[in-house]
Amino acid sequence: MRLVTFALRSSPSELLIGVELPEAKSFVDLTEALGISSMCSFLATGEEGLKKASEVVESGKSRVLIEDCIRKAPVSNPRKIICIGLNYIDHCKETGLPIPKEPVVFNKFPECVAGDGDDIPLYETKKLDWEVELVIVIGKGGFRVKKEDAKHVIAGYTVAHDVSARDLQMANGGQWLLGKTLKGYAPIGPAIVTDLENPHKLGIRTFVNGKKMQDSNTDQLVFNTYDLVEYLTRYFPLSPGDLIFTGTPPGVGLGLKPPQYLKDGDVVKVEIDGIGSITNTVKELK
């Protein structure tokens, strides 16, 4: 199932929750049928909610054409955005850094979230970089979850662009927060896929102005998605709609010789097989 958040072009400020039917080029609106107000509230219903959503889809009702809608970030108001650094074996080799023995954890703020087609604001940085990432979307959540049970707290997966301001990230002793959490620096989408056969064997890529810059596979993850859920819930609970950015593969601008950074007007597309792609344009704030 492909879960989406969208708005009708006739009512762009009202967010709706639905299921994408690519072959029918339509969304199924679950908002009224299930009495839900946000993706987080829907994800909190777990397997029961997915079952009810399937019944609405099978009814053939509440369908709207995608062309009459605006696709939004699938989770617009996560409580937490947790990020993992240096989590691809090939990326560690690229940077010359040792493979971590434990996950490197940092975070973004919820205000970072953006959707497919939203502009990436260029401000307060001269070294804006790209990073494609597989994102874990938490379902019912949990605390102190064992690895073998991790899949039961994961609702699905989506694609993210972990936009990074390298000069801010490396400033003041190397703190990462400021460089990672500027407004609009976490575009996600296009949908939450709940039935990926194997999240640990997916092609993952970035294109900048049509040129392929990152090209790897999630089989290069140092800590896979189940490892991360177990590790993080040792320390704090995960809640419905929480997002875990699982790290980026090699090919970021910082690692090029010489380094290459995004500028006003650049178009960045990030994609993962089985999930889809999102495209965002860099726009300098005047």
Side-chain angles (χ1 to χ4, degrees):
M1 187 176 292
R2 295 178 61 85
L3 301 174
V4 293
T5 297
F6 67 98
L8 298 176
R9 294 191 183 278
S10 59
S11 184
S13 63
E14 181 182 0
L15 295 183
L16 303 171
I17 309 305
V19 175
E20 181 178 9
L21 304 178
E23 292 184 359
K25 298 181 180 180
S26 63
F27 293 148
V28 179
D29 183 5
L30 302 176
T31 311
E32 184 174 352
L34 300 184
I36 51 178
S37 59
S38 70
M39 184 63 77
C40 289
S41 64
F42 174 70
L43 295 176
T45 64
E47 290 295 329
E48 184 64 25
L50 290 175
K51 180 180 178 182
K52 291 181 178 179
S54 294
E55 292 172 355
V56 177
V57 172
E58 291 168 6
S59 75
K61 300 178 180 179
S62 304
R63 297 191 179 189
V64 292
L65 292 175
I66 293 176
E67 65 184 25
D68 295 330
C69 302
I70 304 168
R71 192 187 296 267
K72 300 289 188 176
V75 181
S76 60
N77 57 340
R79 291 182 61 180
K80 295 188 286 295
I81 304 175
I82 306 150
C83 305
I84 308 299
L86 296 173
N87 198 34
Y88 275 74
I89 295 169
D90 46 5
H91 183 45
C92 292
K93 291 178 179 177
E94 174 191 48
T95 62
L97 296 171
I99 294 174
K101 292 183 168 50
E102 289 193 350
V104 177
V105 182
F106 61 98
N107 73 295
K108 289 177 177 275
F109 296 146
E111 290 82 1
C112 290
V113 171
D116 182 30
D118 289 341
D119 289 336
I120 298 170
L122 175 58
Y123 70 109
E124 298 298 333
T125 177
K126 297 184 183 303
K127 296 183 178 181
L128 191 66
D129 206 348
W130 57 84
E131 293 190 5
V132 60
E133 307 211 5
L134 174 70
V135 178
I136 303 166
V137 183
I138 298 300
K140 293 200 75 170
F143 181 49
R144 300 183 73 80
V145 178
K146 298 299 183 184
K147 181 177 179 178
E148 57 267 27
D149 298 322
K151 65 173 58 178
H152 301 302
V153 305
I154 296 174
Y157 298 87
T158 194
V159 182
H161 181 184
D162 177 11
V163 185
S164 304
R166 299 300 187 195
D167 40 5
L168 299 179
Q169 180 184 351
M170 305 303 177
N172 300 323
Q175 57 76 30
W176 286 18
L177 182 66
L178 283 182
K180 292 287 190 174
T181 200
L182 276 68
K183 178 175 169 51
Y185 279 22
I188 60 172
I192 301 167
V193 179
T194 65
D195 52 0
L196 281 178
E197 182 176 346
N198 182 3
H200 307 123
K201 198 168 184 58
L202 302 171
I204 179 170
R205 292 169 288 274
T206 296
F207 298 84
V208 178
N209 299 326
K211 181 179 179 181
K212 188 185 296 182
M213 305 304 293
Q214 292 184 277
D215 187 8
S216 186
N217 195 289
T218 57
D219 64 6
Q220 290 289 303
L221 285 167
V222 178
F223 303 100
N224 71 30
T225 62
Y226 308 141
D227 294 327
L228 294 174
V229 168
E230 179 180 53
Y231 181 82
L232 294 170
T233 60
R234 282 169 52 187
Y235 302 104
F236 50 83
L238 293 172
S239 303
D242 283 352
L243 305 176
I244 304 173
F245 286 39
T246 60
T248 199
V252 298
L254 178 65
L256 300 178
K257 300 186 187 307
Q260 178 180 328
Y261 298 109
L262 297 169
K263 60 186 183 302
D264 184 47
D266 283 346
V267 177
V268 184
K269 175 183 174 182
V270 292
E271 67 178 22
I272 298 178
D273 293 346
I275 304 176
S277 66
I278 57 174
T279 301
N280 304 87
T281 301
V282 178
K283 185 173 183 179
E284 186 173 4
L285 296 186
K286 303 300 183 181

